[in-house]
Amino acid sequence: MSLVSVRDVHKYFGDLHVLKGIDLDVKAGEVVSIIGRSGSGKSTLLRCMNGLESYDQGAIILDGMEVSTDEFQVRKLSQSVGMVFQSFNLFPHLTVGENIMLAPTLIKKTNKAEAKKLAQEVLEKVGLGDKFGQYPEKLSGGQQQRVAIARSLAMKPKVLLCDEITSALDPELVGDVLKVLEQLAAEGMTLILVTHEMNFARDVGDRVVFMHQGKVHETGDAKTVLADPQTPELRQFIGAVL
Amino acid sequence: MGYELNFGALLEYQDVLLSGLWMTVKLTVVSTLLGIMLGILGAAARRHRNPFLRHGSKAYVELIRNTPFIVQLFFIFFGLPAIGIKMTEVEAGILALVINLGAYLTEIIRAGIDNTPKGQIEAARTLGLSSRQIFIRIILPPAFQRVYSSVVSQCIIVMLGSAVVSQISVQELTFAANFIQSRNFLSFESYLVAALLYLLLAFLMRLIFNLIGSRAFSREEKQS
Ligand SMILES: Nc1ncnc2c1ncn2[C@@H]1O[C@H](COP(=O)(O)OP(=O)(O)OP(=O)(O)O)[C@@H](O)[C@H]1O
Ligand SMILES: [Mg+2]
């Protein structure tokens, strides 16, 4: 059984046909990298998977739940799927610890002491155990992004969606964030990431999905697909990013 | 200069002045607190799902911002009794101040809310927060912080504007000054003292708001 199952999904923004029949299955523990040119629909697809964006046709089933943008459904889904964004999106008026504890205390009704312990745990995991009381604005981009990952992890999701989470970072900070992802992958976390980090996709990822003009143009085992692309579009894309 | 200043003569009316001052303080504290609450509710209504709330809030703001405060006050105190809604001078004064401040704050706070980065709301949704939780926990605090200095200014404007409620015989500071100068004809001294007291109040208000603000919005590392 797949953890995430995307069936013939179509999405329009007005007249713009952005997703043109996407099929994708992700099993628990898999690390799937979605790659493709700007505007090919990668973010839209990812955002459809947790109800941030609606789709017009087809079906997405995540952890046995039908995905929709209905608030009740999004809240239910949030127990199973986490998301990390390119722009970190930490809450600036809350400390690192408060950012992390917010959802567990509000949504899961975890008591304060337990939430604190949990927050400390996930912070250690991303290598920021000493930042609990600090405000996000005092952290570097790479640290903020790792806090954002920790915040998602605190909800114990079964799958983590990452949309270009290293793209806004200075090059020297990218490594720390990728290391965290690598560790999560090793622990068996299901990851679906939109990324331009080809080395990461090849070395850590199980599978690559190449999107082109709103379709899955080519997909398969990460190492195979990246070493030996079958379509001229993917070949050209790889040539352009490497 | 044939006019001799005579502040000493005001001492006789010290009690009147002080009780007027005290009334102004009470009016200000109550209307500031309630006005801020109303402004937050008004701003929340502006982004509510329900179109009646959205449009109602907008109509409220437009109505208040485009009519004179004194007319609002007279309407509440002299007009409403015609449809059976009666209240004391002080109640009417407070109600008028709250409604007035609430409208301006609705607009100010809404502007702060509009600047909320969309990504933060999405992150909160992704974490499973409800719309209400998102508004209260994620949107409002930084929005309020962004517009805090405008909120403070508006509250001070309303404190100064409370002088108008002397027109319905609320015995506040301006009422006291009117009263005193009608007895001793020392208009210059009476109103000058009143003006200085308003100045002092405005200064104190800003000071208190700043203290509250710097505590509430501190981004100093917290010990856990
Ligand atoms: N909210 C929106 N309203 C209208 N059009 C949109 C919206 N979001 C995305 N689009 C359009 O949909 C298409 C796909 O966008 P999407 O963000 O999914 O691309 P992407 O593959 O993630 O690109 P990038 O690599 O630049 O992030 C683009 O043409 C984009 O302009
Ligand atoms: Mg994108």
Side-chain angles (χ1 to χ4, degrees), chain A residues 44-112:
Chain A
T44 306
L45 174 60
L46 211 61
R47 292 161 57 80
C48 282
M49 288 184 198
N50 67 348
L52 277 185
E53 205 74 76
S54 64
Y55 48 96
D56 299 295
Q57 199 186 308
I60 303 180
I61 310 289
L62 191 145
D63 196 17
M65 290 174 278
E66 167 113 44
V67 178
S68 82
T69 53
D70 170 68
E71 180 174 322
F72 178 77
Q73 195 64 13
V74 170
R75 299 191 67 188
K76 226 171 95 189
L77 282 163
S78 73
Q79 309 267 343
S80 297
V81 55
M83 186 163 193
V84 185
F85 303 81
Q86 179 174 343
S87 52
F88 325 143
N89 294 332
L90 296 181
F91 308 130
H93 58 298
L94 302 179
T95 63
V96 164
E98 290 164 346
N99 261 278
I100 299 173
M101 288 157 58
L102 186 69
T105 47
L106 282 183
I107 313 301
K108 292 193 167 167
K109 310 291 176 203
T110 310
N111 73 47
K112 195 110 193 222

Side-chain angles (χ1 to χ4, degrees), chain A residues 48-240:
Chain A
C48 282
M49 288 184 198
N50 67 348
L52 277 185
E53 205 74 76
S54 64
Y55 48 96
D56 299 295
Q57 199 186 308
I60 303 180
I61 310 289
L62 191 145
D63 196 17
M65 290 174 278
E66 167 113 44
V67 178
S68 82
T69 53
D70 170 68
E71 180 174 322
F72 178 77
Q73 195 64 13
V74 170
R75 299 191 67 188
K76 226 171 95 189
L77 282 163
S78 73
Q79 309 267 343
S80 297
V81 55
M83 186 163 193
V84 185
F85 303 81
Q86 179 174 343
S87 52
F88 325 143
N89 294 332
L90 296 181
F91 308 130
H93 58 298
L94 302 179
T95 63
V96 164
E98 290 164 346
N99 261 278
I100 299 173
M101 288 157 58
L102 186 69
T105 47
L106 282 183
I107 313 301
K108 292 193 167 167
K109 310 291 176 203
T110 310
N111 73 47
K112 195 110 193 222
E114 224 166 295
K116 210 162 167 176
K117 209 175 115 224
L118 173 68
Q120 196 59 49
E121 240 170 65
V122 288
L123 269 181
E124 304 283 354
K125 199 184 190 83
V126 300
L128 295 171
D130 58 334
K131 300 293 184 198
F132 191 94
Q134 197 56 274
Y135 279 89
E137 64 184 20
K138 301 272 165 60
L139 306 184
S140 75
Q143 291 172 329
Q144 289 191 45
Q145 194 58 295
R146 283 184 283 154
V147 171
I149 295 173
R151 184 174 67 180
S152 285
L153 293 180
M155 288 300 277
K156 308 226 186 289
K158 295 187 177 159
V159 49
L160 193 59
L161 309 176
C162 302
D163 191 359
E164 297 199 37
I165 67 171
T166 56
S167 296
L169 300 177
D170 293 335
E172 71 271 18
L173 301 175
V174 169
D176 290 338
V177 173
L178 292 182
K179 225 181 295 160
V180 170
L181 285 184
E182 191 172 346
Q183 185 194 336
L184 288 175
E187 289 168 6
M189 173 66 91
T190 313
L191 295 173
I192 305 178
L193 13 108
V194 173
T195 185
H196 292 300
E197 298 290 335
M198 290 304 152
N199 293 333
F200 184 85
R202 185 187 52 232
D203 300 338
V204 181
D206 298 310
R207 195 141 54 93
V208 160
V209 172
F210 172 61
M211 286 189 62
H212 185 66
Q213 296 180 346
K215 290 185 173 155
V216 175
H217 198 73
E218 188 171 343
T219 180
D221 171 73
K223 290 181 183 59
T224 319
V225 166
L226 292 177
D228 185 20
Q230 298 300 303
T231 59
E233 288 80 9
L234 179 54
R235 216 169 296 143
Q236 197 188 2
F237 177 77
I238 292 174

Side-chain angles (χ1 to χ4, degrees), chain A residues 11-14 16-19 34-47 53 86 163-164 194 196 211 214, chain B residues 118:
Chain A
K11 164 77 184 172
Y12 295 83
F13 282 116
L16 192 64
H17 198 176
V18 179
L19 299 180
I34 301 174
I35 60 174
R37 276 209 213 100
S38 179
S40 56
K42 308 180 296 291
S43 296
T44 306
L45 174 60
L46 211 61
R47 292 161 57 80
E53 205 74 76
Q86 179 174 343
D163 191 359
E164 297 199 37
V194 173
H196 292 300
M211 286 189 62
Chain B
K118 207 167 135 265

Side-chain angles (χ1 to χ4, degrees), chain B residues 166-193:
Chain B
S166 61
Q167 294 297 315
I168 58 167
S169 301
V170 175
Q171 304 188 359
E172 43 68 77
L173 184 52
T174 302
F175 184 92
N178 283 337
F179 174 82
I180 295 166
Q181 70 88 33
S182 73
R183 290 297 175 88
N184 62 12
F185 306 107
L186 295 174
S187 311
F188 187 95
E189 289 85 344
S190 303
Y191 290 122
L192 185 63
V193 168

